[in-house]
Amino acid sequence: MDFFSNSVRVRVTIWAIAIFYGFLAFFSKVLTVIRRGPRAFFGYKVRPDRPKCLDDPDLGTHGYVRLEGSGLRFHYVAAGERDKPLMLCLHGFPECWYSWRHQLKEFRKSYRVVAPDLRGYGETESPQPSGYRGWPNFSVSHLTNDVRELIEALGYSSCTLVAHDWGGIVAWNFAMDHPDLVEKLIVMNIPHLGVFMKYMTTHFSQFRRSWYMFFFQLPWLPEIVFKSFDFQMLHGVFRSKQMGCRRREAITDEDLEGFKYTFARPGVNISAGINYYRALMRLPPGNYKGTVTCPTLMIWGDQDGALEVGLTEGTDKFVPDFTLKVVPGASHWVQQDQPEVVIGIMRDWLKE
């Protein structure tokens, strides 16, 4: 079954699965509320001030640019001289530009390294309408067009594109649709969508790990769960035994506050990151089985709690010039979990 199909049978199947996982999530939260109380459940706080870690001068300088097509103001952090080639880094869910803090410091000597907050994240504006009803504004075509406009607005005609998780979905499709704008592609713990669809429908273990993709199709409930207990979900994704970083010091309390700030700023559209998943399953990318022609490096942490290592197999069918590097003992958050290893792999491959 192709979950990117718009057939009635597929739509009904997706909603049935979404309702099932919604029931499980609701029941789990009810038990937690009974144990900790309703005040704790609704005890999330707005964070008006940027945490100090996000203003570390060693990471670069904050900048803003308004894109002509969407009219959205994008926030980014840039390191390195403007006359150097562009390395554009796209983050995943539920992150922000800060997930590239190690790479910003390392590659600023050779590149103009730019890490933006993607559409609707952090200090980048979110299109209207906000909330659940805004999901059509987060289609892959909108996201890839943002990247195209961002490269142009930064004063470049091409880039080395580096991406992780959801940023990788955008990067894969961008490299297929705009091969002239990508000199080299580096993706981390995100498969080519052509590989993902076949693998998920033939491996029940991966289908089960992808439960959140279906849960996020529901209106409102995912947002409520995400914010509950002061964004406890972020603790889970970054620090839990199944999903979190394997190095305990990889995500400090201050780092976690930085990621919470992404979703807890005044006026933030909490639905934005979730709407990426809603749009993906309802407005499927038209070219997700296409070929990437530029040299491509895939880095994969083999302890990923959401995506199996098997998803790397068959990528060479879509990418003729393909290199795979598996990082043993690293989680889904590979560039934060094992930054020195990842930087070494990137540096060696870029030199080649």
Side-chain angles (χ1 to χ4, degrees):
M1 179 181 292
D2 188 342
F3 286 101
F4 292 155
S5 168
N6 284 317
S7 72
V8 174
R9 181 171 64 93
V10 170
R11 296 295 99 197
V12 171
T13 301
I14 289 175
W15 274 101
I17 298 171
I19 291 170
F20 170 74
Y21 283 120
F23 173 79
L24 293 183
F26 177 78
F27 183 70
S28 172
K29 288 300 176 181
V30 167
L31 293 180
T32 308
V33 169
I34 292 174
R35 187 174 71 253
R36 298 178 57 182
R39 180 175 296 181
F41 181 83
F42 295 105
Y44 61 86
K45 62 180 180 179
V46 176
R47 292 164 168 82
D49 300 320
R50 190 189 288 160
K52 291 182 179 180
C53 64
L54 301 186
D55 280 326
D56 183 351
D58 289 340
L59 301 183
T61 58
H62 293 263
Y64 300 87
V65 62
R66 190 169 297 278
L67 305 186
E68 292 185 4
S70 65
L72 298 176
R73 190 180 77 153
F74 268 66
H75 166 254
Y76 63 88
V77 171
E81 300 299 326
R82 294 180 182 272
D83 60 349
K84 297 183 183 300
L86 175 64
M87 175 183 283
L88 187 63
C89 302
L90 309 180
H91 67 80
F93 173 86
E95 300 172 279
C96 64
W97 70 266
Y98 188 65
S99 62
W100 299 109
R101 57 195 178 279
H102 304 290
Q103 289 70 33
L104 281 162
K105 288 191 290 187
E106 176 63 28
F107 290 102
R108 64 191 306 164
K109 297 177 183 179
S110 304
Y111 293 88
R112 173 71 168 174
V113 189
V114 177
D117 284 331
L118 297 185
R119 172 181 290 225
Y121 278 89
E123 297 180 53
T124 290
E125 291 179 343
S126 182
Q128 296 298 320
S130 61
Y132 171 79
R133 293 183 298 113
W135 66 262
N137 291 315
F138 293 89
S139 67
V140 171
S141 62
H142 280 110
L143 303 174
T144 55
N145 193 60
D146 286 344
V147 175
R148 181 186 62 80
E149 287 198 74
L150 188 57
I151 293 172
E152 181 179 339
L154 292 170
Y156 289 86
S157 58
S158 63
C159 71
T160 292
L161 191 57
V162 183
H164 168 254
D165 188 74
W166 240 106
I169 294 178
V170 178
W172 278 121
N173 284 271
F174 185 79
M176 288 185 281
D177 293 341
H178 302 283
D180 55 317
L181 300 182
V182 184
E183 297 175 11
K184 292 183 178 181
L185 175 64
I186 301 176
V187 291
M188 304 182 190
N189 278 74
I190 192 69
H192 187 289
L193 283 179
V195 174
F196 179 72
M197 284 311 307
K198 181 178 180 181
Y199 191 91
M200 188 175 73
T201 54
T202 56
H203 293 76
F204 181 71
S205 56
Q206 180 56 56
F207 179 86
R208 187 174 55 197
R209 290 189 185 199
S210 301
W211 68 272
Y212 58 93
M213 295 181 61
F214 299 96
F215 172 59
F216 285 168
Q217 302 308 306
L218 298 175
W220 315 124
L221 182 60
E223 283 89 337
I224 294 172
V225 170
F226 188 79
K227 291 192 295 185
S228 65
F229 303 105
D230 196 30
F231 299 94
Q232 186 183 46
M233 182 179 175
L234 290 176
H235 286 265
V237 297
F238 288 124
R239 289 181 167 178
S240 68
K241 183 177 181 181
Q242 177 182 357
M243 190 67 196
C245 291
R246 294 303 180 259
R247 289 192 311 115
R248 294 181 61 87
E249 66 273 20
I251 303 290
T252 66
D253 290 345
E254 190 176 18
D255 294 335
L256 196 57
E257 273 300 306
F259 289 119
K260 285 187 177 183
Y261 172 79
T262 297
F263 299 96
R265 295 176 62 248
V268 71
N269 178 12
I270 190 67
S271 299
I274 298 171
N275 280 340
Y276 280 57
Y277 292 92
R278 290 166 175 154
L280 181 65
M281 282 194 162
R282 305 179 201 191
L283 297 172
N287 192 30
Y288 69 89
K289 294 183 179 180
T291 299
V292 173
T293 56
C294 66
T296 301
L297 168 66
M298 175 181 280
I299 300 174
W300 201 281
D302 70 350
Q303 298 300 305
D304 192 324
L307 300 169
E308 297 181 353
V309 181
L311 286 163
T312 62
E313 299 173 4
T315 307
D316 54 348
K317 296 179 181 178
F318 298 96
V319 189
D321 190 346
F322 177 66
T323 302
L324 170 65
K325 296 293 183 179
V326 176
V327 182
S331 66
H332 177 74
W333 320 104
V334 61
Q335 81 274 29
Q336 300 182 77
D337 205 350
Q338 296 288 345
E340 293 182 0
V341 175
V342 169
I343 286 170
I345 293 172
M346 291 176 63
R347 188 191 303 114
D348 292 344
W349 184 79
L350 289 168
K351 287 180 180 179
E352 293 176 4

